[in-house]
């Protein structure tokens, strides 16, 4: 595409940039030729008018240069507008109207050159109104066709922009999926993935199976090696968790009373005395040495019982 634009030339680049893709190469050359030619006529008319101003007013030399300057200026505007109509991708009737208008203006210009200056604006037979009326009629036709061509071109560009926007919206719109299609996509995606419902990878292992004939002569204790755990309530579990966490001390509450503790201490003391008497005959020094710590322990326990 870039190579074709470079081969066509600068005029085609301008046409594609400001108007669009050309339908015919002739329209591009003729349209730009008329448009630039109209601008050129206006420049030449300005130069001639400036040159005529250097001569004495209303002299023969003055009219010889100023007459062509007016005629070229009168033709510059219609030619430029005809170039615009040719460049735009308008209907043929617009082009025909412009051609008819420029033909009328050209006739008015020829009439101006014939009657100027001897029959123009108060000189001799005055034909000023006739020439101006004919010129205005032709210029009106060219103006109407040019305006219609511009409006049609802008509408065409708006429709193309709207069509492009609609196609973009249609491409961006996501198709609606049914539940069956979603489930099929999930199944296709999970096909070959060895994951269980818990998200843990499946492992290959062997299982042992026994028949009843193999275990007829074997006595199996079903309770052996098993541990039964019973929940003791939410409070107890929370307390256990706090103990595992650390920083929490576990409190132990005894269900026995003071009398039970006193009775147990008394039995312990009598048992210690009996042991002391039994070992006193064998080794008196050893009994005294061994009994001394126990007697101190008994005295401490007795003091604790009295305090409680």
């Amino acid at each position: 595409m870039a190579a074709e634009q470079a081969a066509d030339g600068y005029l085609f680049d301008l046409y594609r940039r400001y108007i669009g893709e050309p339908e015919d190469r002739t329209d591009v050359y003729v349209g730009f030729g008329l448009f630039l030619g109209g601008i050129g006529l206006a420049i030449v008319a300005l130069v001639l008018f400036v040159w005529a101003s250097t001569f004495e007013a209303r002299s023969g030399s003055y009219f010889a240069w100023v007459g062509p300057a007016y005629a070229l200026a009168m033709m510059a505007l219609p030619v430029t507008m005809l170039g615009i109509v040719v460049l735009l991708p308008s209907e043929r009737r617009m082009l025909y109207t412009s051609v008819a208008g420029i033909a009328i203006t050209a006739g008015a210009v020829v009439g101006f050159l014939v009657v100027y200056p001897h029959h123009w604006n108060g000189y001799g037979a005055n034909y000023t109104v006739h020439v101006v009326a004919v010129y205005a009629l032709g210029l009106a036709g060219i103006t109407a066709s040019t305006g219609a061509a511009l409006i049609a071109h802008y509408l065409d560009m708006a429709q193309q922009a709207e069509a492009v926007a609609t196609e973009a919206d249609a491409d961006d719109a996501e198709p609606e999926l049914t539940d069956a299609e979603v489930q099929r996509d999930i199944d296709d995606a999970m096909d070959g993935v060895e994951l269980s419902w818990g998200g843990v990878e499946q492992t290959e292992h062997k299982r042992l199976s026994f028949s009843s004939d193999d275990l007829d002569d074997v006595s199996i204790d079903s309770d052996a090696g098993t541990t039964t755990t019973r929940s003791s309530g939410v409070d107890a579990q929370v307390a256990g968790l706090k103990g595992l966490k650390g920083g929490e001390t576990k409190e132990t509450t005894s269900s026995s009373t003071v009398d039970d503790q006193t009775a147990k201490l008394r039995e312990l003391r009598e048992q210690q005395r009996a042991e002391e008497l039994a070992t006193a005959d064998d080794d008196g020094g050893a009994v005294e040495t061994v009994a001394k710590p126990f007697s101190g322990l008994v005295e401490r326990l007795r003091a604790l019982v009295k305090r409680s």
Side-chain angles (χ1 to χ4, degrees):
M1 189 67 180
E4 293 180 357
Q5 293 180 359
D8 290 337
Y10 183 69
L11 293 180
F12 284 86
D13 293 339
L14 289 176
Y15 191 93
R16 292 187 179 96
R17 183 180 302 175
Y18 296 105
I19 299 176
E21 190 65 25
E23 297 179 357
D24 190 0
R25 298 174 64 90
T26 305
D27 294 339
V28 177
Y29 289 122
V30 174
F32 276 111
L34 291 173
F35 183 81
L36 297 176
I39 296 175
L41 290 177
I43 295 174
V44 173
L46 179 61
V47 172
L48 292 178
F49 180 80
V50 173
W51 177 254
S53 300
T54 60
F55 297 96
E56 184 180 355
R58 299 183 181 276
S59 63
S61 300
Y62 173 81
F63 287 119
W65 290 103
V66 79
Y70 288 148
L72 292 178
M74 292 172 65
M75 288 299 301
L77 182 59
V79 171
T80 303
M81 297 176 70
L82 179 61
I84 295 174
V85 175
V86 174
L87 286 173
L88 295 177
S90 56
E91 298 180 358
R92 288 297 176 183
R93 59 182 180 180
M94 303 296 178
L95 180 61
Y96 296 153
T97 304
S98 297
V99 172
I102 198 170
I104 295 173
T105 56
V109 170
V110 172
F112 170 78
L113 291 176
V114 171
V115 300
Y116 188 82
H118 301 289
H119 302 285
W120 185 260
N121 196 14
Y123 290 92
N126 191 359
Y127 293 103
T128 305
V129 177
H130 303 80
V131 174
V132 171
V134 175
Y135 181 81
L137 178 62
L139 188 62
I142 297 175
T143 305
S145 60
T146 305
L150 289 172
I151 293 173
H153 176 62
Y154 287 144
L155 292 177
D156 187 25
M157 292 179 62
Q159 291 177 357
Q160 292 179 1
E162 184 178 358
V164 172
T166 303
E167 292 178 359
D169 294 339
D171 294 338
D172 294 339
E174 297 181 356
E176 295 182 357
L177 300 177
T178 61
D179 295 340
E181 292 176 347
V182 173
Q183 185 63 38
R184 185 171 63 253
D185 293 340
I186 294 174
D187 295 338
D188 294 340
M190 295 300 296
D191 187 16
V193 179
E194 297 182 354
L195 292 177
S196 65
W197 287 106
V200 182
E201 184 178 0
Q202 295 181 352
T203 57
E204 298 292 338
H205 54 21
K206 297 182 179 180
R207 297 181 180 274
L208 298 177
S209 60
F210 299 93
S211 61
S212 59
D213 298 334
D214 297 335
L215 302 177
D216 289 341
D217 298 334
V218 180
S219 178
I220 299 175
D221 186 4
S222 60
D223 296 332
T226 61
T227 302
T228 303
T229 304
R230 294 183 176 85
S231 176
S232 58
V234 177
D235 297 336
Q237 293 177 3
V238 172
L241 291 174
K242 290 182 178 180
L244 291 175
K245 181 179 180 182
E248 300 288 341
T249 57
K250 185 176 180 181
E251 297 181 358
T252 303
T253 305
S254 176
S255 60
S256 61
T257 61
V258 177
D259 295 336
D260 295 336
Q261 294 178 359
T262 304
K264 290 180 180 179
L265 290 174
R266 188 178 298 161
E267 291 177 0
L268 179 61
R269 184 177 59 184
E270 291 178 356
Q271 184 179 359
Q272 289 176 351
R273 288 180 180 178
E275 291 177 355
E276 291 175 357
L277 292 175
T279 57
D281 296 336
D282 296 335
D283 192 359
V287 170
E288 185 177 359
T289 303
V290 174
K292 186 174 180 180
F294 287 97
S295 61
L297 177 61
V298 171
E299 291 297 329
R300 291 180 182 178
L301 292 175
R302 185 178 302 172
L304 291 173
V305 171
K306 289 181 180 181
R307 291 178 182 177
S308 59

